[in-house]
Amino acid sequence: MDDDDAPLAAPAPPPGFARYFPLERPPPPPRTFELGLVLGGTVSAGAYTAGALDALVELLDAWEATDPPHRVRLPIVTGCSGGGITAGILGLYARKAHHPMPDDFAALMATAAMPDNPLFDVWVNRVDGLAFLDPSDLAGGAAASLLNCRRLDEIARDMVRYGETPNGFGRAYLPDPYRMILSVTNVEGIPYRFDVPAFTGWTGGNYAQHADYARFALPASGIAADPAGARRPDEFWVGRNPSGEGFADFGTLMQYALAGGAYPMALRPRALTRPAAHYRYRPHVLRTPAGAICEPLVPDWSSLPTTGGQVGFTGIDGGVFDNNPVLLAHRELAGMAAPLEPGPDAARRALLLIDPTLHQPRAPGRVAGGMGGIGLAALGAMEAGANYLTADLDMMADPRIFSHFQLVPVRPDRKTAGAAAAATTVLHAFGGFFCRAFRVHDFMLGRLNMRDYLRRVLILRADNPLFDGWTLAERQRRALDADGAPLPTVDGATPPAAYWLPVIPDSLGPAPGGYAGILPWPAGQLDPATLRPALGQRVAALLAIAQKDEISGLLANLWFDAAEGTISARITGDIVAAFRAALERHDLLPRAGGAG
């Protein structure tokens, strides 16, 4: 065999590669459960995820305060789209005192500001839809997005100041540093070249990977310094006064979070930079007869433009492609090639996906219509298929598997689940921006659903070693049957395999009962016709920019000038009509007899 025909040698891994990407990670410490969070959702539906996390933090704080017989740890949080923004907010106040919101709809509606709870303040109080329609950002004659994103910039600046505020609060269940992985779509892409060694002189094909992600670590000190050498070479170490490659301020974190939630065209893309060295640590697993091998993917450095060792790119919504946040979290918990133990008697690690935009299963049907109908259906299919792998969701829905869990909106009183149970998911999840009552509803629904889920679903069999430190009295107080219903008949003779216990017990007292009496469905809270003036101004300003940029020729301009008002009114009317139809399908219009 000629040298030209010899197999290419595997690239030399960068320093520490095997340590950062082990094939299998050691098990958790005794009496410790590790829970990896995967946060999904997009635009205004982030209010649901925020409410779920509000309850989770409150419950974990209360459980830790009891000197519990077992511990729960959150070693990794991954987020895509709006879930990335929520993961970033959680990181900013991971070391600050938590001020949870009450399970009281009227009280939440009356809470105009809550700066000590940014989950509520950002997702409920501050993402006001009218601010997105303000045309002042178009005064320069250019459009970066269909919606005005200055309010998002203001929120980001406030969150940076919040993150920079010194604090001394600690949470044992969050690691030091708090680590997260944010998905982002890299518009330019990371180039890779694939050579064909059988052909001498073949230069190979250049492939761009657009599904990207960034790692962040927030030390408890809040200072961008790493005296212990714990920083990974592929992550941003975030804090005050950063200095050196790989160290970043809170503004960098917020820009990546905003980029990961920048819905294409609707919200402004973000110009991002990162050390080129991050891309030396992109693993892939080879399955060989001798076993699994983990090696680095090597970019085509000659096609990856860098400046001072930094790579610049345009970042948009991390849900455009399947960035596989579930796999990223799985690898952080179990390793590159190891499964998570699925059995209820042995599971000690699990993934919890929280995504309010997942829909209920529905029977597929033929797409009607011509080119436009097919095009819109194709775009919808692309968006739906970009979120998660079917196999991952199947594991989360399988009642036999106790290492994969999934929280989605549920309203038992309305017999709805998935996106249909949430109010902010209307109009592709943009509708919640224009009605605070929708966001309040979904925040509280997230809280209620999380409390129910931890009581009845995130449970393990009592013979799991996790519960070895539980006393009989504790077991009797928390015992459940396999469906999560209380089981009062446990005694010292009851075999542990005959009953179940919660991984995160609810120490807050009795949870609220049926949702109907405490959480009204927010029908009739929004008349889309009231948005017509602001929407009309935004549409007219965007059309003026389109005329300047896209319509050329004297006759074309004269025609457009004459018809501009009609065109603007028609587009505005169509949007309002589409909004009204979406509200009607979602049962959010006023009901007969004026009932809300």
Side-chain angles (χ1 to χ4, degrees), residues 10-70:
F17 185 84
R19 175 161 61 96
Y20 299 124
F21 303 104
L23 293 175
E24 184 173 359
R25 297 189 185 276
R31 300 181 188 175
T32 300
F33 191 88
E34 293 182 346
L35 186 65
L37 298 181
V38 182
L39 309 181
T42 189
V43 289
S44 65
Y48 176 87
T49 306
L53 289 183
D54 187 61
L56 179 63
V57 171
E58 182 181 15
L59 290 166
L60 283 172
D61 283 353
W63 178 241
E64 282 287 333
T66 65
D67 189 21
H70 79 260

Side-chain angles (χ1 to χ4, degrees), residues 48 102-106 108-109 410-414 421-422 437-449 512-523 591 596:
Y48 176 87
D103 293 317
D104 184 327
F105 184 79
L108 295 182
M109 287 293 292
V410 176
R411 281 217 50 150
D413 58 312
R414 293 176 54 82
F438 292 178
R439 303 193 297 274
V440 168
H441 171 276
D442 284 8
F443 186 94
M444 183 171 168
L445 183 66
R447 282 189 52 86
L448 295 177
N449 284 175
Y515 293 5
I518 60 172
L519 183 59
W521 182 246
R591 297 174 180 170

Side-chain angles (χ1 to χ4, degrees), residues 39-42 79-84 182-186 210-212 259-264 316-325 355 379 381-388:
L39 309 181
T42 189
C80 66
S81 195
L182 303 186
S183 297
V184 64
T185 293
N186 185 326
H210 296 279
D212 206 350
Y263 199 93
I316 61 173
D317 196 308
V320 172
F321 296 97
D322 180 15
N323 291 357
N324 214 337
D355 192 333
L379 288 174
M382 291 167 62
E383 181 182 4
N387 293 326
Y388 309 103

